[in-house]
Amino acid sequence: MGTGTLHIDLDAVAANWAALDAKTSVETAAVVKANGYGLGVSQVALRLARAGVRRFFVATAEEGVVLRAALGHGPEINIFSGHMDSDTPLLREGKLTPMLNSAEQFAQHQARLPGHSYGVQLDTGMNRLGAEPAEWASFRAEAETGPLTLIMSHLACADDPAHPQNAAQLAAFINMTQGSSAKRSFAATGGLLLGPDYHFDLCRPGVGLYGGAPFSEAHHTIRLSLPVVQTRDVAAGESVGYSATWIAESPSKIATVSAGYADGLIRFMSDKARLFAGNIPCKLAGRVSMDLLTVDVTHLDEIPDHLDILCPHQSVDALADEAGTIGYEILTSLGQRYHRIYKGEVF
Ligand SMILES: *Cc1c(COP(=O)(O)O)cnc(C)c1O
Protein backbone atom coordinates (compact mmCIF):
# COMPACT_ATOMS: atom_id res chain seq x y z
CA MET A 1 0.00 0.00 0.00
CA GLY A 2 1.61 3.24 -1.17
CA THR A 3 -0.85 5.59 0.46
CA GLY A 4 -1.69 6.16 4.09
CA THR A 5 -4.54 4.39 5.80
CA LEU A 6 -7.20 6.42 7.59
CA HIS A 7 -9.06 4.33 10.15
CA ILE A 8 -12.41 5.95 10.98
CA ASP A 9 -14.28 4.68 14.03
CA LEU A 10 -17.97 5.44 13.43
CA ASP A 11 -18.90 3.74 16.71
CA ALA A 12 -16.74 6.36 18.46
CA VAL A 13 -18.58 9.13 16.57
CA ALA A 14 -21.89 7.64 17.74
CA ALA A 15 -20.55 7.36 21.30
CA ASN A 16 -19.49 11.03 21.22
CA TRP A 17 -22.99 12.00 20.06
CA ALA A 18 -24.55 9.95 22.86
CA ALA A 19 -22.20 11.51 25.44
CA LEU A 20 -23.09 15.04 24.26
CA ASP A 21 -26.79 14.14 24.12
CA ALA A 22 -26.56 12.94 27.74
CA LYS A 23 -25.48 16.46 28.77
CA THR A 24 -28.76 17.99 27.62
CA SER A 25 -32.42 17.32 28.26
CA VAL A 26 -33.34 18.56 24.77
CA GLU A 27 -32.94 17.14 21.27
CA THR A 28 -29.37 16.77 19.97
CA ALA A 29 -28.92 17.12 16.23
CA ALA A 30 -25.68 16.62 14.28
CA VAL A 31 -23.66 18.96 12.06
CA VAL A 32 -22.14 17.00 9.16
CA LYS A 33 -21.04 19.81 6.84
CA ALA A 34 -17.76 19.66 4.88
CA ASN A 35 -18.15 15.93 4.19
CA GLY A 36 -18.79 15.13 7.85
CA TYR A 37 -15.78 17.20 8.96
CA GLY A 38 -13.67 15.19 6.52
CA LEU A 39 -14.67 11.74 7.80
CA GLY A 40 -17.24 10.95 5.08
CA VAL A 41 -20.72 12.42 5.25
CA SER A 42 -22.68 9.33 4.17
CA GLN A 43 -20.93 6.95 6.55
CA VAL A 44 -21.10 9.40 9.47
CA ALA A 45 -24.75 10.36 8.92
CA LEU A 46 -26.00 6.79 8.50
CA ARG A 47 -24.23 5.74 11.69
CA LEU A 48 -25.63 8.74 13.59
CA ALA A 49 -29.15 8.09 12.27
CA ARG A 50 -28.82 4.56 13.63
CA ALA A 51 -27.76 6.07 16.98
CA GLY A 52 -30.93 8.18 17.03
CA VAL A 53 -30.17 11.48 15.30
CA ARG A 54 -33.25 12.85 13.55
CA ARG A 55 -32.00 16.26 12.42
CA PHE A 56 -28.86 17.13 10.50
CA PHE A 57 -27.20 20.39 9.47
CA VAL A 58 -24.96 21.10 6.47
CA ALA A 59 -23.56 24.33 5.04
CA THR A 60 -24.97 24.30 1.51
CA ALA A 61 -27.91 22.92 -0.47
CA GLU A 62 -25.47 20.89 -2.61
CA GLU A 63 -24.25 19.15 0.55
CA GLY A 64 -27.88 18.63 1.54
CA VAL A 65 -28.64 16.81 -1.71
CA VAL A 66 -25.74 14.39 -1.13
CA LEU A 67 -26.87 13.83 2.45
CA ARG A 68 -30.50 13.23 1.40
CA ALA A 69 -29.37 10.60 -1.09
CA ALA A 70 -27.51 8.82 1.71
CA LEU A 71 -30.21 9.09 4.39
CA GLY A 72 -33.36 8.71 2.31
CA HIS A 73 -36.57 10.31 3.49
CA GLY A 74 -37.27 10.89 7.13
CA PRO A 75 -34.52 12.85 8.87
CA GLU A 76 -34.72 16.63 8.63
CA ILE A 77 -31.84 18.28 6.77
CA ASN A 78 -31.17 21.95 7.50
CA ILE A 79 -29.08 24.27 5.32
CA PHE A 80 -27.07 27.01 7.08
CA SER A 81 -26.61 29.16 3.96
CA GLY A 82 -30.38 29.45 3.56
CA HIS A 83 -32.07 29.83 0.19
CA MET A 84 -29.56 31.06 -2.37
CA ASP A 85 -30.52 31.97 -5.91
CA SER A 86 -29.69 28.64 -7.52
CA ASP A 87 -30.87 26.50 -4.58
CA THR A 88 -34.61 26.31 -5.35
CA PRO A 89 -34.69 22.97 -7.24
CA LEU A 90 -32.21 21.42 -4.80
CA LEU A 91 -34.28 22.44 -1.78
CA ARG A 92 -37.48 21.21 -3.41
CA GLU A 93 -36.23 17.86 -4.65
CA GLY A 94 -34.05 17.15 -1.60
CA LYS A 95 -36.81 18.20 0.84
CA LEU A 96 -34.20 20.39 2.51
CA THR A 97 -35.00 23.08 5.07
CA PRO A 98 -33.14 26.37 4.49
CA MET A 99 -32.13 28.49 7.48
CA LEU A 100 -33.12 31.85 5.94
CA ASN A 101 -30.57 34.56 6.72
CA SER A 102 -32.27 37.78 5.66
CA ALA A 103 -35.57 39.45 4.77
CA GLU A 104 -34.52 39.09 1.16
CA GLN A 105 -34.03 35.33 1.47
CA PHE A 106 -37.38 35.07 3.25
CA ALA A 107 -39.14 36.93 0.41
CA GLN A 108 -37.40 34.78 -2.19
CA HIS A 109 -38.33 31.59 -0.35
CA GLN A 110 -41.99 32.66 -0.05
CA ALA A 111 -42.12 33.48 -3.75
CA ARG A 112 -40.37 30.37 -5.03
CA LEU A 113 -41.35 27.62 -2.61
CA PRO A 114 -44.57 28.66 -0.87
CA GLY A 115 -45.53 26.21 1.86
CA HIS A 116 -42.03 24.66 1.95
CA SER A 117 -40.68 24.59 5.53
CA TYR A 118 -37.88 26.92 6.61
CA GLY A 119 -35.90 28.09 9.59
CA VAL A 120 -34.53 31.54 10.32
CA GLN A 121 -30.97 32.32 11.33
CA LEU A 122 -30.40 35.39 13.49
CA ASP A 123 -27.19 37.30 14.08
CA THR A 124 -26.74 37.92 17.80
CA GLY A 125 -23.29 39.48 17.64
CA MET A 126 -20.97 37.29 15.59
CA ASN A 127 -21.59 39.41 12.50
CA ARG A 128 -21.24 36.51 10.10
CA LEU A 129 -24.58 35.05 9.07
CA GLY A 130 -28.19 35.81 9.94
CA ALA A 131 -30.67 38.66 10.27
CA GLU A 132 -29.90 41.44 12.75
CA PRO A 133 -32.59 42.73 15.13
CA ALA A 134 -34.11 45.48 12.95
CA GLU A 135 -34.19 43.28 9.87
CA TRP A 136 -35.73 40.39 11.82
CA ALA A 137 -38.41 42.72 13.17
CA SER A 138 -39.34 43.60 9.58
CA PHE A 139 -40.36 40.03 8.64
CA ARG A 140 -40.82 38.25 11.95
CA ALA A 141 -44.61 38.46 12.09
CA GLU A 142 -44.99 37.01 8.60
CA ALA A 143 -42.30 34.38 9.17
CA GLU A 144 -43.99 33.14 12.34
CA THR A 145 -47.26 32.43 10.54
CA GLY A 146 -45.66 30.06 7.98
CA PRO A 147 -44.04 26.61 8.29
CA LEU A 148 -41.21 27.92 10.51
CA THR A 149 -39.39 24.90 11.97
CA LEU A 150 -36.52 26.55 13.84
CA ILE A 151 -35.03 29.87 14.91
CA MET A 152 -31.29 29.65 15.40
CA SER A 153 -28.18 31.70 16.08
CA HIS A 154 -24.49 30.93 16.54
CA LEU A 155 -21.99 31.80 19.30
CA ALA A 156 -18.63 33.35 18.38
CA CYS A 157 -16.73 32.54 21.60
CA ALA A 158 -18.33 29.40 23.05
CA ASP A 159 -14.98 27.59 23.29
CA ASP A 160 -14.04 30.11 26.00
CA PRO A 161 -16.61 29.84 28.83
CA ALA A 162 -15.28 32.98 30.51
CA HIS A 163 -15.74 35.17 27.44
CA PRO A 164 -18.28 37.95 28.12
CA GLN A 165 -19.65 37.72 24.58
CA ASN A 166 -21.38 34.42 25.46
CA ALA A 167 -23.75 36.04 27.92
CA ALA A 168 -24.23 39.07 25.66
CA GLN A 169 -25.22 36.88 22.70
CA LEU A 170 -27.49 34.81 24.96
CA ALA A 171 -29.32 37.95 26.09
CA ALA A 172 -29.67 39.09 22.48
CA PHE A 173 -31.03 35.69 21.40
CA ILE A 174 -33.60 35.62 24.20
CA ASN A 175 -34.60 39.18 23.37
CA MET A 176 -35.02 38.46 19.66
CA THR A 177 -37.02 35.25 20.11
CA GLN A 178 -39.22 36.07 23.11
CA GLY A 179 -42.81 35.01 22.60
CA SER A 180 -42.08 32.82 19.60
CA SER A 181 -43.75 29.43 19.37
CA ALA A 182 -41.03 28.08 17.03
CA LYS A 183 -38.28 25.78 18.27
CA ARG A 184 -35.01 27.52 19.11
CA SER A 185 -31.40 26.39 18.69
CA PHE A 186 -28.35 28.31 19.90
CA ALA A 187 -25.64 25.83 20.89
CA ALA A 188 -23.00 24.02 18.83
CA THR A 189 -20.41 21.89 20.68
CA GLY A 190 -19.05 24.78 22.75
CA GLY A 191 -22.49 26.14 23.62
CA LEU A 192 -23.76 22.71 24.63
CA LEU A 193 -20.87 22.48 27.12
CA LEU A 194 -21.70 25.95 28.52
CA GLY A 195 -24.77 24.41 30.15
CA PRO A 196 -28.57 24.34 29.99
CA ASP A 197 -29.06 28.13 29.70
CA TYR A 198 -27.69 27.75 26.17
CA HIS A 199 -29.62 24.65 25.10
CA PHE A 200 -33.14 25.94 24.28
CA ASP A 201 -35.00 23.24 22.25
CA LEU A 202 -32.19 21.78 20.17
CA CYS A 203 -28.39 21.55 20.34
CA ARG A 204 -26.37 21.09 17.14
CA PRO A 205 -22.82 19.92 17.85
CA GLY A 206 -20.32 19.31 15.08
CA VAL A 207 -16.66 19.05 16.06
CA GLY A 208 -17.28 17.24 19.36
CA LEU A 209 -18.81 14.32 17.45
CA TYR A 210 -15.52 13.87 15.63
CA GLY A 211 -13.41 13.98 18.78
CA GLY A 212 -12.32 17.64 18.69
CA ALA A 213 -11.98 20.40 21.28
CA PRO A 214 -13.66 21.85 23.21
CA PHE A 215 -15.24 18.44 23.99
CA SER A 216 -12.36 17.21 26.10
CA GLU A 217 -14.04 13.91 27.06
CA ALA A 218 -14.46 12.88 23.42
CA HIS A 219 -13.34 9.50 22.12
CA HIS A 220 -10.71 9.55 19.40
CA THR A 221 -12.41 8.82 16.10
CA ILE A 222 -9.50 8.46 13.69
CA ARG A 223 -6.09 6.87 13.31
CA LEU A 224 -3.88 7.89 10.40
CA SER A 225 -1.07 5.46 9.58
CA LEU A 226 1.51 6.38 6.96
CA PRO A 227 3.69 3.77 5.26
CA VAL A 228 7.47 4.02 5.42
CA VAL A 229 8.66 4.05 1.80
CA GLN A 230 12.40 4.16 2.40
CA THR A 231 14.96 4.64 5.18
CA ARG A 232 18.51 5.97 4.94
CA ASP A 233 21.47 6.86 7.10
CA VAL A 234 22.69 10.45 6.95
CA ALA A 235 26.06 11.60 8.22
CA ALA A 236 26.58 14.55 10.56
CA GLY A 237 26.34 17.74 8.54
CA GLU A 238 24.11 16.32 5.77
CA SER A 239 20.77 18.01 5.17
CA VAL A 240 17.29 16.59 4.58
CA GLY A 241 14.50 17.89 2.35
CA TYR A 242 13.66 21.06 0.43
CA SER A 243 15.75 24.12 1.17
CA ALA A 244 17.99 21.95 3.35
CA THR A 245 16.39 23.28 6.55
CA TRP A 246 17.23 20.21 8.69
CA ILE A 247 20.87 19.33 9.20
CA ALA A 248 22.00 16.20 11.03
CA GLU A 249 23.97 17.08 14.18
CA SER A 250 25.22 13.51 14.44
CA PRO A 251 24.85 10.34 12.35
CA SER A 252 21.09 9.86 11.94
CA LYS A 253 18.50 7.60 10.40
CA ILE A 254 15.71 9.15 8.31
CA ALA A 255 12.45 7.42 7.35
CA THR A 256 10.57 8.76 4.34
CA VAL A 257 6.81 8.23 4.64
CA SER A 258 4.04 8.53 2.09
CA ALA A 259 1.81 11.61 2.73
CA GLY A 260 2.33 15.34 2.46
CA TYR A 261 0.63 18.66 2.15
CA ALA A 262 -1.49 17.37 -0.75
CA ASP A 263 -3.05 15.08 1.86
CA GLY A 264 -3.81 17.89 4.28
CA LEU A 265 -0.62 17.62 6.34
CA ILE A 266 0.03 21.30 5.99
CA ARG A 267 3.49 22.66 5.33
CA PHE A 268 3.41 24.62 8.55
CA MET A 269 4.07 21.31 10.37
CA SER A 270 7.60 21.26 8.88
CA ASP A 271 10.35 20.57 11.45
CA LYS A 272 7.72 20.58 14.24
CA ALA A 273 5.14 17.81 14.10
CA ARG A 274 5.71 14.32 15.44
CA LEU A 275 4.77 10.88 14.19
CA PHE A 276 4.55 7.80 16.39
CA ALA A 277 6.14 4.37 16.18
CA GLY A 278 3.76 2.66 18.58
CA ASN A 279 4.09 4.99 21.56
CA ILE A 280 7.52 6.42 20.66
CA PRO A 281 7.45 9.94 19.19
CA CYS A 282 9.61 10.72 16.14
CA LYS A 283 10.03 14.32 14.94
CA LEU A 284 9.69 15.50 11.39
CA ALA A 285 13.09 16.30 9.89
CA GLY A 286 12.82 19.11 7.36
CA ARG A 287 10.03 20.43 5.20
CA VAL A 288 6.74 18.72 4.44
CA SER A 289 6.68 17.94 0.70
CA MET A 290 3.60 17.43 -1.45
CA ASP A 291 3.58 13.63 -1.13
CA LEU A 292 6.28 12.81 1.40
CA LEU A 293 7.43 13.46 4.96
CA THR A 294 10.92 12.83 6.29
CA VAL A 295 11.12 11.68 9.90
CA ASP A 296 14.05 11.32 12.32
CA VAL A 297 13.92 7.71 13.51
CA THR A 298 17.51 7.52 14.78
CA HIS A 299 16.35 6.50 18.29
CA LEU A 300 14.23 3.53 17.16
CA ASP A 301 15.62 0.01 17.63
CA GLU A 302 13.56 -1.27 14.75
CA ILE A 303 12.04 0.64 11.83
CA PRO A 304 8.31 -0.14 11.62
CA ASP A 305 6.51 -0.45 8.28
CA HIS A 306 4.35 2.55 9.17
CA LEU A 307 4.28 5.60 11.45
CA ASP A 308 1.10 7.14 12.87
CA ILE A 309 0.47 10.88 12.77
CA LEU A 310 -3.01 10.72 14.33
CA CYS A 311 -3.43 8.09 17.06
CA PRO A 312 -4.27 7.83 20.76
CA HIS A 313 -0.93 9.54 21.52
CA GLN A 314 -1.66 12.50 19.23
CA SER A 315 -5.18 13.88 18.82
CA VAL A 316 -6.25 16.16 15.97
CA ASP A 317 -5.98 19.08 18.39
CA ALA A 318 -2.46 18.13 19.49
CA LEU A 319 -1.35 17.90 15.86
CA ALA A 320 -3.15 21.16 15.10
CA ASP A 321 -1.26 22.88 17.94
CA GLU A 322 2.05 21.83 16.41
CA ALA A 323 0.95 23.33 13.11
CA GLY A 324 -0.44 26.58 14.55
CA THR A 325 -4.04 25.77 13.64
CA ILE A 326 -7.19 24.16 15.10
CA GLY A 327 -8.49 20.59 15.03
CA TYR A 328 -11.33 21.61 12.68
CA GLU A 329 -8.81 22.47 9.96
CA ILE A 330 -6.84 19.23 10.37
CA LEU A 331 -10.07 17.19 10.11
CA THR A 332 -11.56 18.99 7.14
CA SER A 333 -8.22 18.86 5.28
CA LEU A 334 -7.87 15.07 5.55
CA GLY A 335 -6.84 13.99 2.07
CA GLN A 336 -8.78 12.05 -0.51
CA ARG A 337 -5.83 9.76 -1.31
CA TYR A 338 -5.91 7.80 1.93
CA HIS A 339 -7.27 4.29 1.98
CA ARG A 340 -10.25 4.69 4.30
CA ILE A 341 -11.29 1.87 6.59
CA TYR A 342 -14.51 2.31 8.56
CA LYS A 343 -15.43 0.62 11.82
CA GLY A 344 -19.13 0.39 12.60
CA GLU A 345 -20.38 1.20 9.10
CA VAL A 346 -24.14 0.94 8.51
CA PHE A 347 -25.39 -0.09 5.06
C1 LIG B 1 -20.23 24.61 12.02
C2 LIG B 1 -21.42 25.12 12.74
C3 LIG B 1 -21.91 24.41 13.86
C4 LIG B 1 -21.15 23.28 14.51
O1 LIG B 1 -20.13 23.85 15.27
P1 LIG B 1 -19.07 22.98 16.11
O2 LIG B 1 -18.21 24.01 16.76
O3 LIG B 1 -18.31 22.17 15.11
O4 LIG B 1 -19.83 22.15 17.06
C5 LIG B 1 -23.11 24.82 14.40
N1 LIG B 1 -23.77 25.91 13.92
C6 LIG B 1 -23.30 26.63 12.88
C7 LIG B 1 -24.07 27.80 12.39
C8 LIG B 1 -22.11 26.28 12.26
O5 LIG B 1 -21.64 27.00 11.25
Side-chain angles (χ1 to χ4, degrees):
M1 184 80 59
T3 62
T5 302
L6 182 61
H7 297 269
I8 300 170
D9 186 347
L10 299 170
D11 293 335
V13 175
N16 287 336
W17 177 78
L20 288 168
D21 185 48
K23 293 181 186 294
T24 82
S25 58
V26 303
E27 181 180 350
T28 306
V31 179
V32 295
K33 61 193 180 186
N35 192 30
Y37 286 53
L39 270 55
V41 65
S42 303
Q43 291 87 349
V44 164
L46 281 169
R47 183 65 187 82
L48 287 172
R50 157 88 49 103
V53 177
R54 289 289 159 262
R55 225 186 268 245
F56 294 85
F57 290 82
V58 289
T60 65
E62 286 82 354
E63 289 185 330
V65 168
V66 172
L67 180 57
R68 178 61 77 203
L71 285 173
H73 291 298
E76 187 175 298
I77 299 176
N78 297 310
I79 311 297
F80 286 137
S81 59
H83 190 154
M84 302 282 287
D85 216 18
S86 57
D87 288 347
T88 309
L90 306 180
L91 296 172
R92 184 198 302 117
E93 278 142 45
K95 296 198 163 52
L96 310 173
T97 306
M99 300 291 111
L100 305 173
N101 286 300
S102 62
E104 191 186 342
Q105 279 202 350
F106 177 69
Q108 166 153 296
H109 186 72
Q110 293 291 92
R112 294 197 182 172
L113 291 177
H116 184 112
S117 64
Y118 56 84
V120 170
Q121 186 162 193
L122 303 178
D123 193 286
T124 51
M126 186 173 184
N127 287 309
R128 187 181 67 168
L129 205 55
E132 298 202 8
E135 185 174 19
W136 171 225
S138 76
F139 70 98
R140 177 175 177 177
E142 202 186 342
E144 299 243 18
T145 62
L148 172 62
T149 58
L150 194 67
I151 302 178
M152 60 167 283
S153 187
H154 194 49
L155 286 156
C157 307
D159 60 341
D160 177 5
H163 202 292
Q165 188 161 327
N166 295 322
Q169 284 195 247
L170 177 62
F173 188 60
I174 291 170
N175 203 23
M176 288 169 83
T177 58
Q178 222 143 33
S180 177
S181 54
K183 286 194 174 185
R184 293 184 287 178
S185 175
F186 195 38
T189 304
L192 190 155
L193 299 171
L194 290 178
D197 287 352
Y198 290 82
H199 294 177
F200 295 90
D201 301 301
L202 175 82
C203 294
R204 36 169 226 280
V207 75
L209 306 174
Y210 310 99
F215 185 31
S216 55
E217 301 153 34
H219 300 274
H220 287 266
T221 62
I222 54 179
R223 173 189 287 269
L224 179 53
S225 294
L226 307 176
V228 176
V229 181
Q230 195 180 9
T231 54
R232 77 185 65 244
D233 294 312
V234 297
E238 281 194 274
S239 69
V240 173
Y242 281 123
S243 307
T245 58
W246 190 90
I247 295 168
E249 282 169 10
S250 51
S252 301
K253 193 178 279 291
I254 299 294
T256 302
V257 308
S258 175
Y261 59 76
D263 304 292
L265 301 176
I266 54 180
R267 219 165 138 274
F268 221 78
M269 294 174 186
S270 299
D271 283 314
K272 283 184 277 205
R274 297 173 309 162
L275 285 78
F276 284 80
N279 54 12
I280 306 171
C282 309
K283 271 190 80 177
L284 282 185
R287 295 256 163 101
V288 173
S289 314
M290 185 184 294
D291 317 300
L292 297 165
L293 305 172
T294 37
V295 187
D296 183 358
V297 293
T298 311
H299 54 302
L300 297 183
D301 295 333
E302 219 176 296
I303 306 302
D305 60 5
H306 68 272
L307 295 167
D308 291 343
I309 192 160
L310 293 168
C311 57
H313 302 291
Q314 184 158 265
S315 67
V316 287
D317 293 296
L319 180 61
D321 269 351
E322 286 172 338
T325 183
I326 54 175
Y328 296 76
E329 190 177 9
I330 299 294
L331 285 169
T332 56
S333 304
L334 287 167
Q336 293 308 310
R337 280 197 289 202
Y338 300 131
H339 178 56
R340 290 173 174 236
I341 298 178
Y342 287 95
K343 176 167 177 277
E345 195 167 1
V346 177
F347 295 97

